[in-house]
Amino acid sequence: MATANKNLSEYDKSTLPDAKDFKVGIVVSEWNDKVTNGLFSGAKEALLDCGMSEENIVRWDVPGSFELIFGAKRMIEVDENLDAVIVIGCVIKGETMHFDFVCQGVTQGIKDLNLISEIPVIFCVLTDNNEQQSLDRSGGVHGNKGTEAAIAALKMIELNTKF
Ligand SMILES: Nc1c(NC[C@H](O)[C@H](O)[C@H](O)CO)[nH]c(=O)[nH]c1=O
Ligand SMILES: CC(=O)[C@@H](O)COP(=O)(O)O
């Protein structure tokens, strides 16, 4: 199902755990910061709506999406009380192949982090053809992928604490 057929901001609180005792780190890329700050707002609002306390939402900023990998790895190393990390970025296609390599690099890097980490690392990185697509997915017509990422984080924390 494409995003066009699913609003990214929709969720059913009754299906989610109470987040009052959870702690989540959010690493935010500064590239396309109008979009990444919109994604962060969506994620934060959803986490607060599900009961998380504001002091348990830790934000770090990094220069670009490629640095999300090291930022998430380092955040996990320095804060053993985190239950999940969300990485937020926005990669928009330009004139060259750099878009392809950044997207692939970040995707593979976050995938690798999930293989070695004890907590889930949620992939909230837009990889769009133009800025309008990014605006549409960070609080626009298609909702907010940051909200979707927060919900995914809560569901994965619940799964991870079952075993
Ligand atoms: N073009 C975009 C970038 N490029 C920068 C890289 O992410 C990285 O910071 C640089 O290569 C230094 O390592 N980053 C984005 O997040 N979005 C873009 O559209
Ligand atoms: C994803 C990028 O790095 C890209 O936006 C940079 O633009 P360009 O390919 O025109 O250098």
Side-chain angles (χ1 to χ4, degrees):
M1 177 187 290
T3 299
N5 303 321
K6 171 188 184 304
N7 188 288
L8 296 165
S9 296
E10 292 174 355
Y11 61 93
D12 178 356
K13 275 176 72 173
S14 68
T15 67
L16 301 173
D18 182 347
K20 66 180 173 58
D21 297 322
F22 295 164
K23 185 175 185 181
V24 168
I26 306 181
V27 187
V28 183
S29 164
E30 294 168 351
W31 256 83
N32 301 310
D33 60 353
K34 178 180 177 184
V35 174
T36 57
N37 282 319
L39 293 168
F40 174 77
S41 296
K44 180 178 179 181
E45 285 166 19
L47 293 172
L48 295 175
D49 183 45
C50 292
M52 191 171 293
S53 56
E54 189 143 6
E55 61 265 20
N56 278 351
I57 300 173
V58 179
R59 172 173 172 163
W60 284 10
D61 292 283
V62 295
S65 289
F66 194 82
E67 284 73 42
L68 291 171
I69 304 162
F70 183 84
K73 179 180 82 79
R74 196 77 190 110
M75 185 183 264
I76 293 168
E77 289 171 346
V78 303
D79 188 344
E80 295 178 356
N81 296 315
L82 290 176
D83 295 298
V85 171
I86 299 170
V87 295
I88 290 180
C90 174
V91 191
I92 298 176
K93 194 184 290 287
E95 297 174 353
T96 71
M97 291 180 65
H98 197 231
F99 171 85
D100 301 306
F101 293 105
V102 170
C103 293
Q104 278 300 322
V106 178
T107 305
Q108 294 305 316
I110 299 304
K111 179 264 291 178
D112 291 345
L113 267 184
N114 275 285
L115 291 175
I116 64 174
S117 169
E118 297 298 317
I119 62 171
V121 183
I122 306 301
F123 185 78
C124 183
V125 180
L126 295 177
T127 53
D128 297 326
N129 294 308
N130 54 62
E131 186 182 32
Q132 189 56 52
Q133 288 181 345
S134 299
L135 294 172
D136 290 346
R137 290 158 176 79
S138 55
V141 293
H142 294 315
N144 195 317
K145 200 162 187 65
T147 307
E148 180 196 51
I151 300 312
L154 296 179
K155 290 180 176 179
M156 290 307 291
I157 292 170
E158 184 176 48
L159 180 145
N160 199 26
T161 51
K162 276 182 180 174
F163 308 107

